[in-house]
Amino acid sequence: MEVFEVTGGRQLNGTVRVCGSKNAALPILAATVMAEDVCVIEGVPHLEDVRVMVEILRALGAQVDWQGDTVSVDPRNISSTDVPSHLMRRMRSSVFLMGPLLARFGEVRVSRPGGCVIGQRPIDFHLRGMRALGARIEQSHGYVRCTANRLYGDHITLDYPSVGATENLMMAAVLSDGVTVLENVAREPEIVDLAQFLQRCGARIENAGDGTITVTGVHHLGGARHRVIPDRIVAGTMMIAAAAVGGDVTLERADPHHLGAVIAKIRETGAQVQVERDIIRVTQAEPGRAVDIRTAPYPGFPTDLQAPFMALMTILRGTSVVRESVFEARFKHVDELNRMGANISVDGQTAVVHGVPRLSGATVEASDLRGGAALVVAGLAAEGTTRVEGLHHIDRGYEQLDTHLRDLGADIVRRAV
Ligand code: UD1
């Protein structure tokens, strides 16, 4: 087992380059199975979830070469449409293979993803949408099997703008017959990035990034080269860390347009945020003031930054309120933050955070990815040493978080115990 040992109280100063987005890279890698030629994806972060996706692509028969931040996928020899269940269990995002494999090969079998620590996370919108496109769905013994001789365009309205369902259905629609109109869909930057990759392969997609997407089916997709967008959640986490401990941090290769709601909230605490092209600079000289956040689908405040932002709130002057509207159980980090001296109470999907003058280092355990990042932010701001366990959660979404923070002057080490 590995842990982070973080000794708090040091300001962060310097420059960090933001890596490519995990949540953009995963569906794009899944989409390569629809292409009939080699796809080259650049800016792919070295993360456990990406490694699992690469293993799945190889298990399906694709030839995958990963050098530096570039992954080349040759999907021409794919011979299986069965996503291995041991890999599926390691990563929920393997559900993204449903749409592409069904569209290209007329069948797919995945093991049904279970609930997870942040909520139930059902896939009913995905399945209902696939059915509307003409798929037959059978569910038994923990597996979901979708089959279709052909998929046919239809008008589909999601009950909620689910990111994963929007991506899966957009991918399935690309190789369907006729026109698919997807309504009440997610508008996240990762959707737009996936659409741009698919368009480079020859797909006809209009209005990705709006609430209604129109896809006109084509018969084939070719290969393409594509660079994924910067990871807005990693960038946001570094900005929040800078606001929590003070200092002067510059992020390079960020996309400030994707972070509007986060930048606004960080400014509201009193920190300075300057933005220029792909650069974001956060400076914070004194403890900030309390602010409220409500998570919402993009362009609202991202649920993935709720936990790190709550770590910042624990030491803001005054009382902050967090309303989590996207996932029903995303407060697992609260008990751990309270162990560090925070004063947070939870009622349903609302958390009330009374700011305290300082946190104190403790042994805490990450139980999910973003909750783990919150504990690191808290450790950076706390007095004394914090030991963060459960690093495998954090490693799923942050490439070398400790190295980047050390480069900025933080006292954080990864230790095997
Ligand atoms: C994606 C992101 C995740 C982020 C989330 C919300 C990836 C790999 N993951 O997850 O980091 O936290 O968006 O921004 O991109 N829902 C249903 N039925 C469905 C699908 C979703 O009820 O079929 C519900 C979920 O339980 C949740 C809400 O819709 O309450 C949003 O989920 P969704 O947007 O689908 O999240 P993911 O795509 O799983």
Side-chain angles (χ1 to χ4, degrees):
M1 183 176 90
E2 288 185 323
V3 300
F4 279 152
E5 275 176 12
V6 192
T7 303
R10 293 214 190 172
Q11 291 206 329
L12 299 181
N13 287 292
T15 301
V16 192
R17 183 168 282 186
V18 180
C19 61
S21 160
K22 163 179 93 78
N23 287 353
L26 290 172
I28 289 172
L29 287 170
T32 61
V33 307
M34 291 194 289
E36 291 179 26
D37 211 336
V38 176
C39 296
V40 180
I41 315 300
E42 296 169 342
V44 178
H46 280 260
L47 295 170
E48 182 56 21
D49 278 7
V50 178
R51 276 188 275 277
V52 175
M53 181 59 85
V54 164
E55 266 187 68
I56 293 176
L57 293 173
R58 286 187 176 135
L60 297 174
Q63 198 177 319
V64 186
D65 180 50
W66 190 353
Q67 309 263 0
D69 76 349
T70 302
V71 178
S72 304
V73 184
D74 182 345
R76 286 174 291 192
N77 291 325
I78 289 184
S79 51
S80 165
T81 52
D82 219 343
V83 179
S85 64
H86 68 284
L87 294 175
M88 178 92 196
R89 266 198 295 275
R90 275 171 55 194
M91 183 188 55
R92 226 194 147 268
S93 302
S94 30
V95 76
F96 290 137
L97 284 151
M98 250 168 42
L101 286 172
L102 176 67
R104 172 84 202 283
F105 300 101
E107 64 174 335
V108 57
R109 193 175 85 128
V110 297
S111 70
R112 216 194 136 79
C116 77
V117 71
I118 64 172
Q120 273 298 313
R121 306 188 82 175
I123 54 166
D124 50 330
F125 305 157
H126 303 236
L127 296 180
R128 215 177 297 149
M130 303 284 172
R131 214 174 266 129
L133 296 175
R136 280 177 304 281
I137 313 246
E138 296 154 55
Q139 300 193 63
S140 60
H141 307 293
Y143 285 92
V144 182
R145 184 161 179 268
C146 308
T147 46
N149 292 331
R150 281 223 57 77
L151 295 175
Y152 297 97
D154 201 348
H155 205 110
I156 299 169
T157 304
L158 297 184
D159 288 352
Y160 183 88
S162 150
V163 175
T166 303
E167 291 169 337
N168 234 337
L169 296 175
M170 188 166 78
M171 292 189 280
V174 155
L175 290 177
S176 302
D177 274 354
V179 176
T180 301
V181 178
L182 301 170
E183 280 199 277
N184 193 31
V185 290
R187 296 185 284 168
E188 268 66 1
E190 293 76 17
I191 309 271
V192 178
D193 203 34
L194 172 63
Q196 279 175 357
F197 166 69
L198 291 167
Q199 283 163 339
R200 289 202 168 115
C201 296
R204 292 178 59 195
I205 302 171
E206 284 163 69
N207 300 332
D210 286 348
T212 301
I213 297 176
T214 305
V215 183
T216 305
V218 297
H219 291 297
H220 307 281
L221 292 183
R225 178 179 281 270
H226 180 81
R227 173 166 283 276
V228 299
I229 53 172
D231 196 310
R232 64 194 168 100
I233 306 302
V234 168
T237 305
M238 300 306 267
M239 291 166 67
I240 291 166
V245 302
D248 186 347
V249 171
T250 299
L251 302 177
E252 290 179 345
R253 279 209 199 152
D255 192 333
H257 299 292
H258 297 163
L259 282 155
V262 180
I263 290 172
K265 284 296 165 186
I266 290 183
R267 282 188 177 140
E268 225 180 295
T269 68
Q272 311 279 314
V273 183
Q274 288 160 276
V275 163
E276 201 189 317
R277 293 188 315 274
D278 64 347
I279 291 181
I280 303 176
R281 180 174 173 203
V282 183
T283 43
Q284 169 72 298
E286 56 188 41
R289 7 170 225 285
V291 297
D292 298 338
I293 60 168
R294 178 179 183 279
T295 65
Y298 189 82
F301 192 95
T303 173
D304 284 350
L305 287 174
Q306 179 257 107
F309 206 88
M310 193 188 291
L312 162 63
M313 286 169 162
T314 61
I315 48 165
L316 295 178
R317 274 180 287 117
T319 299
S320 307
V321 177
V322 177
R323 290 201 173 75
E324 173 54 62
S325 84
V326 179
F327 288 106
E328 72 276 13
R330 208 169 196 182
F331 284 141
K332 291 284 188 293
H333 44 284
V334 166
D335 285 347
E336 302 302 284
L337 290 173
N338 282 344
R339 284 168 63 78
M340 298 177 70
N343 181 355
I344 309 168
S345 51
V346 172
D347 181 10
Q349 291 185 218
T350 300
V352 178
V353 187
H354 299 287
V356 296
R358 66 192 60 81
L359 299 174
S360 58
T363 296
V364 286
E365 185 176 359
S367 53
D368 68 279
L369 163 56
R370 309 300 173 186
L375 300 177
V376 173
V377 171
L380 294 171
E383 231 172 43
T385 300
T386 297
R387 182 177 142 126
V388 182
E389 299 177 346
L391 285 206
H392 58 284
H393 291 294
I394 301 175
D395 289 340
R396 280 188 38 231
Y398 293 88
E399 190 183 56
Q400 299 188 323
L401 181 60
D402 46 334
T403 311
H404 289 315
L405 288 170
R406 246 190 333 268
D407 290 346
L408 294 175
D411 183 348
I412 175 169
V413 284
R414 179 186 287 264
R415 266 195 219 299
V417 290

